[in-house]
Amino acid sequence: LESSLLTQPWASVCFGESAFLAKACFRDTGYILLISDLSSVWYESADAEAVGQRSKELNKRLTVHVSSFLHHLRSLMCPLLAGQAPAATSFSCHRLDSGLSLHVKSELSGLPFYWDFHCCPAPVEMVSRHLLRPLIQMSLALHCQVQKLACLLLQKDAEIEDYRESGATLSRDRLRTESFQEKMFQQNFMAEVRSSAR
């Protein structure tokens, strides 16, 4: 399950008034859920036996197979992670000393359906594998891309300057651009980032 979770993208979700990043993977054998507010990271991994036991405690009137519970949970969580909250379903969360509790209220087979995800703090290795490493890799990739684009812009400026020195002129003056100043661009960009982060 966790290997499959690595291929799932993070999604921005709201539970009540709180905003989180979350990703999840559901199978007939169980599920794994990972949630972060960028200060802490919580997770829950539950196999079919644990799902069956909790479903008996929370949904005494429902007598469906465990796989049906898992399919229903997937049908509630996957649209939420895709930015489309399911109709007639409510989500709420409570921060606890021991972790994070996510409460789901919906319907299944015409009867009320309740579910609680009991998320505990994620171990350091899981946080590194699912959050830190991908973020660092993406940051390095974007930095490399910016460097290549800056080199391309400088080459284009040199090419345009060569045209000008050869006597070429613009047919439309509004297309004229200033030469790219990499240092100035970096300073302005960092100033905008700091301003938006306040």
Side-chain angles (χ1 to χ4, degrees), residues 155-192:
Q155 290 173 2
K156 289 292 184 184
D157 280 347
E159 182 181 345
I160 291 170
E161 185 60 28
D162 185 65
Y163 287 141
R164 286 175 180 164
E165 290 176 355
S166 300
T169 58
L170 285 170
S171 60
R172 288 169 286 185
D173 200 58
R174 62 183 177 80
L175 296 177
R176 186 180 303 279
T177 58
E178 296 295 327
S179 296
F180 178 65
Q181 303 293 327
E182 185 176 3
K183 187 175 180 180
M184 184 64 68
F185 172 80
Q186 293 285 0
Q187 289 175 345
N188 291 339
F189 178 77
M190 292 308 298
E192 289 177 11

Side-chain angles (χ1 to χ4, degrees), residues 13 32 40 58 65 70 74 82 88 99 152 157 174 181 187 193-194:
V13 295
I32 184 168
S40 301
L58 296 173
H65 193 269
L70 285 163
R74 178 167 53 194
L152 182 61
D157 280 347
R174 62 183 177 80
Q181 303 293 327
Q187 289 175 345
V193 169
R194 285 192 289 269

Side-chain angles (χ1 to χ4, degrees), residues 3 9 18 37 45 48 57-58 68 73 83 86 88 90 95 101 103 117 121 143 163 198:
S3 296
S18 303
D37 61 359
S45 180
E57 297 169 2
L58 296 173
S68 295
L73 282 172
S90 64
R95 297 171 191 263
S101 176
H103 183 67
F117 292 95
H143 179 72
Y163 287 141
R198 287 173 188 157

Side-chain angles (χ1 to χ4, degrees), residues 61-90:
R61 295 171 62 191
L62 288 169
T63 56
V64 297
H65 193 269
V66 172
S67 62
S68 295
F69 278 113
L70 285 163
H71 288 160
H72 188 57
L73 282 172
R74 178 167 53 194
S75 72
L76 297 176
M77 293 299 294
C78 288
L80 179 71
L81 295 174
Q84 302 167 344
T89 302
S90 64

